[in-house]
Amino acid sequence: MKTTAFRLSLSLFLLTLAAPLLAQVTSQTIRGTVLDQDTRQPLYGAAIVVVGSQPLLAATADEEGRFVIPKVPTGRIDLVIQMMGFEEQKLSNLLLTSGRELVVNVNLLSAVVMGQEVTVHGDRKREDLRNDMVSVSGRKIGVEETSRIAGGINDPARMVSAFPGVAGDATGDNTIIARGNSSKGVLWRLEGMEIPNPNHFSEEGSTGGPINVLNSDMLDDSEFYTGAFAPEYGNALSAVFDMKLRDGNDTEREYTLKAGVLGTDLTAEGPMPGLRGGSYLANFRYSTLSLLDQAGIVDYQGVPNYTDGAFKLKLPAGRAGSFSLFGLGGQSTIHQEERSEVGDTLFAENDYRSRMGVVGLTHLRTLGENSYIQSSLSVSGNGSDFDYHQTDAPGEVPLALREQSALGKWTTRFSSTLNNRLNSKHKLRSGIIVSVDQYQMLVDSWSDEANRMERQLEAHGEATTLQAFSSWRWRWNEQWTMTSGVHVLHFALNGATSVEPRLGLRYQMKPGRAITAGAGLHAKTESVMTYLAQGTDAQGNTYQPNKDLGLSKAAHFVVGYEHMLTEDIQVKAEAYYQHHFNVPVENDPTSSFSLSNSTEWFTTKDLVNEGRGRNYGLEVAVEKYFTRGYHFLVTASLSDARNKAMDGVWRNSRFNMGTVANALAGKEWQLGKSGKDRVLTTGFRYSILGGQYATPIDLEASRLAGTQVDGSPVWSEKGDAVHKLDVVLAFRAARPKVSHEIKADVLNVLNNQTAVYHYFDSRTGTIKDVPQLAMLPVLQYTLRF
């Protein structure tokens, strides 16, 4: 309570300091580039206009596509970009602050009317997807949007759980459950390259975690897809998160300092000396979660520590094209102790360490007037170490080792994509991706039967994955667009191959109304640990039961309808069906085990690709984009997800959550006279998550065995629905070249404690609950200058 009171006093003090800084009207510069989306050629002569400005504020792109609009009053502004022969694009409600110039990079799409290129004043907006090969189940994620959504805590992965068909983990992780699928089917990409799980404290094989490694200040607008993926996306079954790093300011040095309960970080950007158009962008963050632990707000049974950093260098090279060097990395550690409820006696402790990192070089070069090629080379690594000690007699020292692991994987990846616009109707995109994994893994675990530590995994070696794709976009006319193509995935470790056709259609009935459809075959490899897991036969020989396990596969089908009710309110609905096959299940005709119910780690069970699954559902969203100072989003999803193992029985999937709904809204209040950059932001988000399915625990059998024993029927126990209310409150004030913001993002304001999971506690002989994340206030101060 003392800590909370201190922070509130500090907030009021900072607000008092900000007051005398608000006496003058503030302005800032807008700069950027305008390029042809299909060829990446600069659009010389494109007009950029600040809508509603008096006198008119506008600029014209130069021969490099660059433009500058100085002295634009700060606040929310709209930009319109026009060019003869291209569709008009409107960027709505961009946030311009005095502490940082606004850099906008725009790609215009050539217009088509009966085979002729003309000027079209269409309804292409900021909300449209950057990837024009995507027809269905896609959503753009704005960085500024992430910062003002309640419960987002500047983490894009948390924000997507508000989208239709997507659910998060109620216990606090940013895990993404899309359309009833396990989160391990999510593909993370950065700068067009697949990357390891970018989250702190993450388990091997998982795709989520408590805190994202990538700071939101580094991100550009990114995109998220939940089904029927475009041909360029492979090795994914449930969702694709395609993130982009923004370019640093190439004319002015700028800095952002943030201090809060989740971390303290500094972001710096500016021009590269002696290199026109070159820029740098870098960020470093150190955790301060110990503040939450010491205040008693959260209890991790230890203090989590983490650090992370990221950078991007933009390096134009004239006729040789443009290079960019980027990197991302983080490490996290925690020491935890388990003590008895009576007497506070130590009976177990563990140390966990995780790490991830990636460094990449990207090269883009135009080839004539209608083509460009983009190639990337990256080196990434991720791994973790875990040691667990315990004793059967509390207080006994030293504790005995019961589990240990040392996991490391390093990947060298190369990709190259050729884009070619044949004419205004036809565009081709083809590419290859080569990934070489090198791994070194060791896992030991205690066996009660053998009364000793036994090795479950010991492997080192190499595994290569090859991917190739080709896609074709055919714009018949202004109404009809078709995208089609094929993706090929080959896993050299065991020779498994998948050929995956894809198809997408969009019919623009009239401005603001469209019907969409998509279908495609998708495949994914499992975690390399699954293939390398060890077993022991009757003669005591070690073998790898899953070395030849094939690829998991799914066929996706989606139909959708979009309707702009007004200029800023859209209704969108999609219905989907997913047929899963080649699902890994235990090779036992009496077994109900399916790997599709897992989210991380691995199993030593003997697996075969004989499982099946089916997911279907309906998703509806009503969204008002941020205009006139406010926004809202209401989503609802009804779904059913089931799977079948070797015993032939169709059962509820663990992730068959049924109903998921969200309602969120936000409002900006301009304080003082117009032109003064003094804004109060308020917002809320109310979420309902249908409970996950679990197998009941046989309490008596568990007590006799001294460990958890599953009861029956399997996957028959439906969890309670989880309700959560998040609120956000922020105040922004500025003077020329400097802006301050104080923000409070409070998760689970009502402090609901619905049980999410259950487990058997062998110490007490009882079944205990794991509740949803308790109320968590996340306070943050931001200084931009």
Side-chain angles (χ1 to χ4, degrees):
M1 292 298 295
K2 291 182 179 180
T3 302
T4 302
F6 170 74
R7 291 187 177 279
L8 289 174
S9 298
L10 178 60
S11 298
L12 292 173
F13 174 67
L14 290 172
L15 287 174
T16 303
L17 286 180
L21 303 178
L22 305 173
Q24 62 187 108
V25 176
T26 56
S27 64
Q28 188 54 277
T29 298
I30 302 175
R31 66 176 70 250
T33 59
V34 183
L35 304 177
D36 184 331
Q37 178 167 305
D38 293 336
T39 67
R40 294 301 191 268
Q41 295 281 358
L43 293 181
Y44 176 49
I48 304 93
V49 178
V50 179
V51 178
S53 56
Q54 293 293 335
L56 182 66
L57 297 174
T60 301
D62 63 19
E63 60 185 10
E64 295 180 341
R66 297 160 63 92
F67 69 90
V68 178
I69 309 177
K71 298 182 179 180
V72 180
T74 57
R76 295 282 176 180
I77 58 102
D78 296 341
L79 289 181
V80 169
I81 302 92
Q82 297 176 330
M83 178 71 183
M84 181 68 70
F86 290 81
E87 293 185 3
E88 175 186 285
Q89 186 169 161
K90 182 178 182 180
L91 306 184
S92 302
N93 280 275
L94 302 178
L95 179 59
L96 182 65
T97 64
S98 61
R100 187 168 72 186
E101 292 186 346
L102 179 62
V103 179
V104 179
N105 296 315
V106 181
N107 296 325
L108 294 184
L109 187 64
S110 60
V112 176
V113 177
M114 299 301 293
Q116 300 177 6
E117 296 184 89
V118 299
T119 301
V120 175
H121 301 279
D123 60 343
R124 185 170 173 80
K125 300 180 178 64
R126 180 178 175 83
E127 295 77 20
D128 292 335
L129 295 173
R130 182 181 321 198
N131 189 339
D132 57 1
M133 292 290 183
V134 175
S135 301
V136 295
S137 304
R139 167 67 190 255
K140 178 178 285 188
I141 304 168
V143 178
E144 189 272 326
E145 180 183 19
T146 302
S147 66
R148 59 178 156 81
I149 296 297
I153 57 175
N154 298 322
D155 183 351
R158 295 183 185 275
M159 182 189 164
V160 301
S161 62
F163 296 166
V166 184
D169 185 343
T171 61
D173 278 7
N174 62 12
T175 299
I176 298 171
I177 301 171
R179 293 180 171 173
N181 291 295
S182 167
S183 58
K184 66 187 180 68
V186 175
L187 170 67
W188 287 94
R189 284 171 43 119
L190 179 65
E191 294 293 286
M193 300 289 283
E194 181 180 346
I195 62 171
N197 180 359
N199 286 287
H200 288 293
F201 305 104
S202 59
E203 291 279 5
E204 178 64 28
S206 70
T207 61
I211 300 169
N212 202 296
V213 172
L214 189 56
N215 192 297
S216 61
D217 274 331
M218 298 290 296
L219 286 174
D220 196 356
D221 290 343
S222 302
E223 295 183 355
F224 182 72
Y225 314 111
T226 55
F229 313 125
E232 64 198 80
Y233 300 113
N235 203 22
L237 287 179
S238 62
V240 176
F241 212 134
D242 198 358
M243 301 183 296
K244 305 289 185 184
L245 296 176
R246 67 182 179 88
D247 295 332
N249 193 319
D250 59 9
T251 61
E252 299 287 339
R253 291 188 178 89
E254 296 175 334
Y255 305 91
T256 300
L257 174 66
K258 290 184 177 180
V261 295
L262 291 184
T264 300
D265 66 87
L266 175 66
T267 303
E269 60 185 292
M272 296 290 290
L275 184 61
R276 174 176 167 79
S279 65
Y280 66 86
L281 174 67
N283 170 273
F284 178 78
R285 177 173 58 176
Y286 177 75
S287 75
T288 49
L289 279 176
S290 57
L291 296 177
L292 289 175
D293 186 83
Q294 293 167 6
I297 296 174
V298 295
D299 182 13
Y300 294 104
Q301 297 178 320
V303 179
N305 294 296
Y306 63 88
T307 57
D308 52 56
F311 71 90
K312 181 180 181 181
L313 305 180
K314 182 183 177 183
L315 307 169
R319 293 183 178 180
S322 178
F323 292 86
S324 64
L325 181 66
F326 67 92
L328 168 69
Q331 61 179 5
S332 47
T333 63
I334 187 170
H335 173 80
Q336 296 176 304
E337 295 183 351
E338 299 178 47
R339 295 181 176 271
S340 59
E341 297 179 359
V342 179
D344 194 35
T345 304
L346 178 68
F347 65 82
E349 64 179 2
N350 71 74
D351 290 280
Y352 183 76
R353 302 165 294 278
S354 68
R355 58 203 175 272
M356 71 80 57
V358 58
V359 176
L361 178 67
T362 298
H363 175 234
L364 187 148
R365 183 178 182 181
T366 57
L367 304 175
E369 295 183 354
N370 294 309
S371 303
Y372 73 92
I373 186 170
Q374 181 169 317
S375 301
S376 301
L377 177 66
S378 70
V379 178
S380 63
N382 67 297
S384 62
D385 301 288
F386 178 72
D387 298 295
Y388 178 75
H389 297 76
Q390 74 170 34
T391 178
D392 295 327
E396 181 179 291
V397 179
L399 304 180
L401 181 66
R402 287 295 182 262
E403 186 174 347
Q404 66 176 358
S405 63
L407 310 173
K409 187 175 73 171
W410 305 265
T411 302
T412 302
R413 184 172 284 112
F414 172 79
S415 72
S416 186
T417 302
L418 175 64
N419 292 261
N420 183 270
R421 183 174 65 193
L422 302 179
N423 52 47
S424 59
K425 284 188 174 184
H426 300 280
K427 175 182 176 180
L428 300 177
R429 179 181 298 163
S430 302
I432 59 170
I433 306 169
V434 180
S435 305
V436 180
D437 295 330
Q438 293 179 309
Y439 52 83
Q440 187 166 342
M441 299 185 172
L442 177 69
V443 178
D444 292 329
S445 184
W446 180 262
S447 170
D448 289 329
E449 294 181 1
N451 197 34
R452 66 171 185 270
M453 295 286 287
E454 289 191 347
R455 186 141 295 175
Q456 294 183 318
L457 176 62
E458 181 179 14
H460 62 87
E462 182 177 289
T464 300
T465 304
L466 304 175
Q467 299 179 70
F469 69 89
S470 184
S471 56
W472 167 41
R473 189 194 70 201
W474 179 16
R475 301 170 66 197
W476 304 347
N477 50 42
E478 284 190 300
Q479 286 75 44
W480 285 96
T481 302
M482 181 186 75
T483 57
S484 61
V486 64
H487 188 102
V488 179
L489 172 64
H490 175 75
F491 189 43
L493 183 67
N494 57 23
T497 301
S498 176
V499 180
E500 306 160 15
R502 314 278 176 88
L503 176 67
L505 289 171
R506 181 180 182 87
Y507 173 52
Q508 195 74 41
M509 305 164 60
K510 58 179 64 177
R513 294 188 187 183
I515 295 174
T516 59
L521 184 63
H522 309 278
K524 190 181 187 309
T525 60
E526 301 297 333
S527 167
V528 69
M529 299 176 71
T530 300
Y531 300 101
L532 304 176
Q534 296 178 189
T536 304
D537 61 21
Q539 290 73 41
N541 299 316
T542 300
Y543 69 103
Q544 294 176 319
N546 303 320
K547 185 70 176 289
D548 296 324
L549 190 67
L551 303 172
S552 300
K553 298 183 179 181
H556 291 189
F557 305 92
V558 183
V559 292
Y561 175 71
E562 302 172 7
H563 187 180
M564 294 296 300
L565 299 179
T566 65
E567 184 181 4
D568 55 3
I569 298 179
Q570 182 190 55
V571 176
K572 185 175 182 179
E574 285 193 340
Y576 66 88
Y577 179 82
Q578 298 179 354
H579 170 64
H580 294 261
F581 58 104
N582 274 31
V583 178
V585 295
E586 185 177 10
N587 189 17
D588 180 347
T590 65
S591 174
S592 60
F593 179 84
S594 173
L595 201 61
S596 62
N597 289 319
S598 67
T599 59
E600 58 194 18
W601 208 233
F602 71 105
T603 178
T604 57
K605 297 179 185 293
D606 182 7
L607 303 176
V608 291
N609 295 103
E610 296 293 335
R612 295 288 184 271
R614 58 171 182 252
N615 302 356
Y616 57 88
L618 175 65
E619 304 164 355
V620 180
V622 180
E623 180 172 14
K624 180 190 179 296
Y625 302 128
F626 199 102
T627 59
R628 299 187 296 279
Y630 74 100
H631 71 99
F632 65 77
L633 172 65
V634 179
T635 67
S637 306
L638 300 175
S639 63
D640 187 77
R642 300 177 185 271
N643 55 44
K644 180 175 68 172
M646 283 288 286
D647 63 1
V649 178
W650 282 98
R651 295 183 175 85
N652 289 295
S653 162
R654 171 183 173 181
F655 311 105
N656 187 10
M657 304 177 75
T659 301
V660 176
N662 292 274
L664 62 88
K667 169 72 175 175
E668 283 190 353
W669 309 82
Q670 182 73 41
L671 305 180
K673 296 180 180 180
S674 177
K676 302 295 197 313
D677 195 355
R678 184 170 55 176
V679 177
L680 177 68
T681 300
T682 59
F684 77 91
R685 172 182 169 185
Y686 191 84
S687 303
I688 303 174
L689 282 73
Q692 297 185 21
Y693 274 87
T695 298
I697 299 172
D698 189 327
L699 181 58
E700 293 304 319
S702 298
R703 287 171 173 169
L704 290 173
T707 187
Q708 182 168 312
V709 177
D710 289 340
S712 62
V714 177
W715 300 112
S716 62
E717 195 172 81
K718 174 74 168 174
D720 294 333
V722 175
H723 294 250
K724 183 167 70 80
L725 173 65
D726 305 326
V727 298
V728 63
L729 177 67
F731 175 75
R732 185 179 74 246
R735 62 181 175 86
K737 302 297 183 182
V738 178
S739 67
H740 307 263
E741 182 182 66
I742 300 172
K743 177 182 177 183
D745 198 351
V746 186
L747 284 66
N748 193 12
V749 172
L750 302 179
N751 199 30
N752 290 338
Q753 290 291 279
T754 304
V756 181
Y757 306 113
H758 309 280
Y759 69 96
F760 174 73
D761 185 349
S762 60
R763 300 283 172 180
T764 62
T766 60
I767 296 175
K768 292 189 174 181
D769 300 332
V770 178
Q772 71 185 95
L773 182 68
M775 183 178 69
L776 177 63
V778 180
L779 306 179
Q780 180 177 269
Y781 166 71
T782 301
L783 172 65
R784 301 186 190 278
F785 59 99

